[in-house]
Amino acid sequence: MSLKSINHNDLRIEKDMYGKNFLTLADFSSSEIEYLISLALTLKKKQKLGIPHEYLKGKTLGMIFEKSSTRTRVSFEVGMYQLGGHASFLSSRDLQLGRGESINDTAKVLSRYLDGVMIRTFDHQTIEEFASASSIPVINGLTNSHHPAQVLADLMTIKEYKGDLKGLKLCFIGDGNNNMTHSLIEGAALTGMNISVASPKNYEPNQSILNQAIQIATTNDCHITLTNDPEEAIDQADVVITDVWASMGQEDEQTERMEQLAPYQINQALCEKAKPNYIFLHCLPAHRGEEVTAEIIDGKHYVVFDEAENRLHAQKALLKVLLSD
């Protein structure tokens, strides 16, 4: 990829995104998402070549964690450092927010100290309420219904391996009503990929999120397919993705979920129906022997550690456009 200087159209896109919230992928247009992917790839190349890219000198990002994390914390923290800024880790246990201070008051106070806030929490309404009271950009590090920061890295990874995203077939097999599925549906629709989701009955995607994504997909001439049949979903897929069957906060549903989702395991027999050159993605952590077998996640088609690395570069692109004035 060329390291050419940003052109006038790029500057316009960056200007439009500056200061915005990033709560879902659908908050941004197709051209903005495509620009973020391109910028992430450029920043990755700059890092590999040792080219300085300190666009955020003097900027500070606050990071609020109500859910623990590995990749989210490290990618945003290191990303801010490499961009010349600083990240401040804010555990919910250490904030007045965890002892009764309102979300609105916390957002207003932090807006006076920081240049942006990244929040990883449970209820999506929490981050929406925070953003409505904040005067600085708010980034969704994960909620129960959306994981846009992860899927931005997934889109970047697919772009690296497959080139043009438009027209590719992506399939997600597993729990259709989770944050990864919802953000993947939005990301596919925005980039013109066809996506097929296979999940058991009563595990289908949220209808409101799905309806919005269908509208975007129609505009971009691509399709969203829901099925209960994993073989139908994976047929001739370019990209195969899954996630854990019980996420944080769903531990009491573990036994039932294991029973319902067992037929949706990603294994060698199932993957033989994908294209011969398919790639396998997983946001991690993975439970080998549950949602995916070791022969797949550790096999020749896996790109999960490139995907994990790309969290850093994708998050840097996001931080640059939202915080760099």
Side-chain angles (χ1 to χ4, degrees):
M1 172 170 289
S2 170
L3 297 182
K4 63 181 177 60
S5 58
I6 295 175
N7 62 35
H8 291 298
N9 187 55
D10 293 336
L11 290 172
R12 179 188 60 77
I13 292 174
E14 286 212 8
K15 182 178 179 181
D16 289 344
M17 285 191 283
Y18 171 67
K20 288 180 66 172
N21 296 319
F22 184 71
L23 307 188
T24 74
L25 287 170
D27 290 338
F28 285 4
S29 67
S30 292
S31 61
E32 288 172 336
I33 294 298
E34 289 165 2
Y35 177 73
L36 282 170
I37 295 168
S38 177
L39 177 60
L41 290 166
T42 298
L43 293 175
K44 181 175 184 177
K45 190 164 188 178
K46 284 187 175 183
Q47 180 182 322
K48 301 298 184 185
L49 294 173
I51 300 173
H53 46 284
E54 296 184 337
Y55 301 107
L56 297 182
K57 283 187 175 180
K59 302 283 187 176
T60 302
L61 176 75
M63 305 188 303
I64 299 176
F65 285 87
E66 291 189 318
K67 274 189 173 184
S68 59
S69 165
T70 299
R71 282 152 292 278
T72 299
R73 177 174 179 179
V74 176
S75 61
F76 276 102
E77 195 165 284
V78 174
M80 280 298 293
Y81 172 78
Q82 291 183 357
L83 290 168
H86 174 75
S88 179
F89 175 76
L90 305 170
S91 168
S92 61
R93 297 187 303 273
D94 302 326
L95 295 174
Q96 294 297 336
L97 182 63
R99 293 189 286 273
E101 184 169 50
S102 72
I103 294 172
N104 280 6
D105 286 357
T106 301
K108 289 175 181 176
V109 169
L110 293 181
S111 293
R112 303 294 182 101
Y113 301 145
L114 303 167
D115 299 287
V117 176
M118 187 280 296
I119 304 176
R120 185 176 168 97
T121 186
F122 292 89
D123 191 345
H124 192 75
Q125 185 177 347
T126 299
I127 200 167
E128 289 181 334
E129 184 177 346
F130 192 102
S132 69
S134 174
S135 59
I136 56 177
V138 177
I139 298 169
N140 181 358
L142 175 142
T143 64
N144 286 346
S145 58
H146 292 275
H147 201 352
Q150 172 66 54
V151 172
L152 186 62
D154 290 0
L155 296 173
M156 174 189 175
T157 307
I158 298 167
K159 176 80 172 178
E160 277 187 308
Y161 277 86
K162 296 295 182 181
D164 190 15
L165 300 182
K166 189 169 182 61
L168 293 177
K169 179 179 179 181
L170 180 156
C171 82
F172 179 91
I173 298 175
D175 180 4
N177 188 25
N178 82 348
N179 47 27
M180 278 300 297
T181 319
H182 293 150
S183 289
L184 283 166
I185 289 171
E186 292 177 342
L190 285 160
T191 56
M193 284 191 290
N194 300 306
I195 181 169
S196 185
V197 177
S199 58
K201 291 182 179 178
N202 301 319
Y203 285 79
E204 290 91 354
N206 174 277
Q207 193 62 50
S208 177
I209 295 171
L210 179 62
N211 289 342
Q212 183 181 26
I214 288 172
Q215 290 183 338
I216 298 170
T218 300
T219 301
N220 288 331
D221 194 26
C222 55
H223 304 284
I224 300 171
T225 303
L226 304 185
T227 178
N228 302 126
D229 183 355
E231 292 189 3
E232 177 187 349
I234 203 171
D235 184 50
Q236 295 301 298
D238 298 285
V239 184
V240 178
I241 306 182
T242 191
D243 194 8
V244 295
W245 289 343
S247 298
M248 195 181 304
Q250 297 175 327
E251 291 81 3
D252 58 340
E253 304 172 22
Q254 178 82 25
T255 301
E256 179 183 355
R257 285 175 165 271
M258 290 283 286
E259 293 175 355
Q260 294 291 320
L261 289 160
Y264 295 82
Q265 182 189 72
I266 305 295
N267 53 45
Q268 184 62 42
L270 184 61
C271 288
E272 286 176 359
K273 299 184 181 302
K275 286 184 179 177
N277 64 341
Y278 80 90
I279 57 173
F280 173 75
L281 279 71
H282 192 303
C283 63
L284 302 178
H287 297 159
R288 289 166 173 80
E290 291 183 14
E291 74 273 7
V292 61
T293 60
E295 65 182 339
I296 295 299
I297 195 169
D298 299 320
K300 65 180 181 179
H301 295 278
Y302 85 105
V303 297
V304 294
F305 295 109
D306 291 333
E307 174 190 10
E309 178 191 343
N310 284 342
R311 285 294 304 272
L312 171 62
H313 310 297
Q315 265 64 112
K316 283 161 65 176
L318 185 62
L319 290 166
K320 179 186 184 301
V321 299
L322 297 186
L323 306 186
S324 179
D325 51 16

